[in-house]
Amino acid sequence: MNTKIYEYMIAVAEQKNITNAAKQCYVSQPALSQHIKNLESQLGVTLFEKTKGAVIPTRQGEVFLTTARRMLQIEQETLKRIEQLKQNLPG
């Protein structure tokens, strides 16, 4: 499952800084900026506003972040359930 864009978006929102978020996610700042730009282009909206000293989510960005957090939670729950099923299988 490729959920990296969700992780990237959450990191930017939490860090309020693309460079710091890139470091947290172990990607380069230009790569992270490009991922966000591509997502914004795909969605046709701006997800973050650059203000003096901070990057903050727009209203559309907040909607995306809410869903991103839920998607990551669902992924974690799914992987946990699959692992539990694997442990209950014979042999």
Side-chain angles (χ1 to χ4, degrees):
M1 291 180 266
N2 189 358
T3 56
K4 288 293 180 193
I5 192 63
Y6 301 135
E7 294 170 21
Y8 296 163
M9 292 288 294
I10 292 167
V12 172
E14 289 174 351
Q15 295 290 326
K16 297 181 177 29
N17 180 289
I18 293 176
T19 300
N20 293 343
K23 288 177 186 175
Q24 178 182 324
C25 295
Y26 302 103
V27 297
S28 70
Q29 180 273 323
L32 180 54
S33 293
Q34 189 62 47
H35 282 294
I36 293 170
K37 183 179 176 181
N38 291 344
L39 180 59
E40 288 177 330
S41 178
Q42 181 182 356
L43 297 174
V45 297
T46 301
L47 297 170
F48 289 101
E49 289 180 23
K50 293 176 178 96
T51 64
K52 193 178 242 184
V55 178
I56 58 170
T58 61
R59 289 178 59 192
Q60 294 90 343
E62 288 290 351
V63 169
F64 187 90
L65 286 163
T66 298
T67 301
R69 289 182 180 103
R70 288 190 357 225
M71 292 295 289
L72 290 177
Q73 181 180 10
I74 290 168
E75 179 192 35
Q76 290 170 353
E77 291 169 1
T78 301
L79 294 175
K80 181 179 176 182
R81 290 176 64 198
I82 289 171
E83 188 59 36
Q84 289 171 341
L85 287 171
K86 283 176 22 183
Q87 291 176 7
N88 288 333
L89 291 176

